[in-house]
Structures are given as structure tokens and as C-alpha cells.
Amino acid sequence: MTSPVDEPIGAGVDARPDGSPHVPQFDQERAENAVRELLLAAGEDPEREGLRDTPARVARAYRELFAGLYTNPDEVLDKTFDEAHEELVLVRDIPVYSQCEHHLLPFHGIAHVGYIPNEQGRVTGLSKLARLVDLYARRPQVQERLTSQVADALVRRLEPRGVIVVIEAEHLCMGMRGVRKAGSTTTTSAVRGLFRSSASSRAEALSLIRGR
Ligand SMILES: Nc1nc2c(ncn2[C@@H]2O[C@H](COP(=O)(O)OP(=O)(O)OP(=O)(O)O)[C@@H](O)[C@H]2O)c(=O)[nH]1
Ligand SMILES: [Zn+2]
């Protein structure tokens, strides 16, 4: 069984038994055809001037939005260094843009990512934490999975004493349609290691996250 800590590239899509996605890269032509079909299904004319380039444009947009399916998260964290820092490192307010896998509509907000390095003080570049959020966000997602995937990737690569990830986001599928509760936000958290076992470590991190 595949555990979250050895999750393969492309996990979350319909993957082959070896864990790789069925397609090694985004299929632009297939996506263009699908968008054309969608316009036809809606009763639109994909050949009219305003829509003529739309299938190609939408396909390119989705290629960008789903780019995280084709990138190995461990490569983002391949550069680590020992800094003899054994206390909290926290990056707050990382912008998140993702899309819910139920409706393929955006959800967006901010992520806070913190960890306590291990005894060797193994750390990674601060930008890598934001890149990791971005990579997992650029997939069809649910907010809960996005949150725990970021936490588990950090556990895997940095072997830290603790990890905390908090994401606050608004889901447009709850605002533009359906229940139509625009402005409501969802908060998810994933805590690992010390942040799970020690209420005081968790409280300290949460107070720093909230203290903006
Ligand atoms: N847990 C979770 N649910 C999500 C997320 N994004 C969207 N959803 C929910 O996914 C659910 C899909 O429910 P369904 O009943 O299958 O679909 P639906 O008929 O379109 O549901 P409504 O949105 O209630 O109209 C909805 O309740 C969405 O709010 C997410 O990131 N996490
Ligand atoms: Zn949705």
C-alpha cells in the first residue's frame, strides 16, 4: 500500500500501477477538443469570432493550472542545508490558488507553513515552502488533501521535529453557484510530530500564525 510519505508523482490522478500519471504531460489537443465540446454542449458556436481561440486559450490555462501533476514534489525540496537552527521556521500568508476537484472551480486564500528542524538543523530555502504549496495547489484538489500533502512532503524531506500547515481559503463553488455563500472561508490544518504531541508548541505556532 502506498503511504502518504512515499506518494508518487501524479498521485491524486488516475495513475498507473507504478504511480506515474497516465500521460507524462498535459495533452493540449485533447483539452482543446474538450473545451470545444463544452461550448457546443452549452449551445454556443465555437467558430464565432470571440470564441475561435478560446479552446486553445483555455487548454493553455489548464496546462498551467494543473502543472503540479507533472512535477515531483521532492525535487522542490532537493536542496537542504544544515543551519544549526532548531526552532520554529514559519512562512505566513503564502497566496494559494487551486481548483476544487468536484467542480473545477477555483478556491483561493493563504497558506501558513511552519516547521521545527531536526537535531542537525536541516532546513530548506524559504521560497521552497511557497513552491511546495504552489506545486500541490496546481492539481485538481480538495483543501484537506492540499494541506496534508504539503505537510507530508516536508516530513519526508526534512525529517523535522514538527510541521504545521494551515490554509484559509474561499471556494468559488460555494459562492458563484450551489449554496451561494460568497465570502465564507474554510480553514484546514495539518500538524505532524511535535505540533501534534505538544499542545504548547502547537499553541505557540498558532498564535504566531494568527498574530498578523
Ligand atoms: N471537503 C471538501 N469539500 C469540498 C471542497 N471543495 C468543494 N467541496 C464540496 O464538494 C461537495 C460536492 O458535493 P456534491 O453533492 O457531490 O455536489 P453538488 O451537488 O454540486 O453540491 P453543492 O455544492 O452543495 O451544490 C460540495 O459540498 C462542495 O462544497 C474541498 O476542498 N473540501
Ligand atoms: Zn467545488
Side-chain angles (χ1 to χ4, degrees):
M1 207 182 84
T2 305
S3 73
V5 279
D6 42 49
E7 166 202 283
I9 308 172
V13 286
D14 186 13
R16 293 201 193 96
D18 71 356
S20 59
H22 271 304
V23 286
Q25 59 188 12
F26 190 83
D27 188 334
Q28 173 78 18
E29 190 184 341
R30 201 168 187 177
E32 283 181 30
N33 290 336
V35 176
R36 202 169 290 112
E37 282 300 314
L38 181 61
L39 290 169
L40 285 168
E44 266 289 1
D45 172 12
E47 299 308 324
R48 75 174 166 82
E49 198 189 341
L51 289 179
R52 203 168 296 141
D53 296 330
T54 297
R57 249 188 242 114
V58 174
R60 281 197 303 275
Y62 273 91
R63 184 171 63 195
E64 196 176 331
L65 297 177
F66 291 164
L69 286 170
Y70 310 105
T71 315
N72 186 339
D74 288 349
E75 281 171 17
V76 171
L77 296 175
D78 64 349
K79 273 192 236 151
T80 63
F81 41 100
D82 292 347
E83 204 33 68
H85 181 87
E86 286 183 53
E87 287 166 86
L88 178 65
V89 179
L90 173 69
V91 179
R92 276 189 346 199
D93 298 334
I94 302 167
V96 177
Y97 289 91
S98 189
Q99 35 284 315
C100 86
E101 66 186 18
H102 302 122
H103 302 95
L104 296 186
L105 285 171
F107 63 92
H108 65 100
I110 46 175
H112 316 285
V113 180
Y115 68 99
I116 300 176
N118 61 18
E119 298 70 36
Q120 289 84 51
R122 190 188 305 166
V123 299
T124 189
L126 298 176
S127 68
K128 309 301 182 194
L129 303 180
R131 284 185 187 281
L132 193 62
V133 170
D134 216 33
L135 182 153
Y136 281 116
R138 288 176 183 278
R139 297 175 171 195
Q141 269 294 7
V142 293
Q143 190 177 326
E144 295 90 331
R145 191 170 66 232
L146 171 59
T147 312
S148 47
Q149 283 178 327
V150 173
D152 290 332
L154 287 168
V155 168
R156 194 164 62 227
R157 294 295 295 170
L158 298 182
E159 298 174 332
R161 288 199 287 154
V163 170
I164 183 164
V165 179
V166 176
I167 298 182
E168 304 165 48
E170 178 175 3
H171 289 244
L172 296 198
C173 69
M174 284 182 67
M176 295 172 72
R177 55 157 298 285
V179 72
R180 296 194 190 186
K181 295 293 177 246
S184 63
T185 59
T186 301
T187 302
T188 45
S189 69
V191 287
R192 303 288 184 263
L194 198 60
F195 291 118
R196 189 186 279 258
S197 57
S198 159
S200 61
S201 299
R202 192 166 60 244
E204 183 196 352
L206 286 173
S207 76
L208 289 170
I209 286 171
R210 288 197 195 103
R212 58 178 182 274

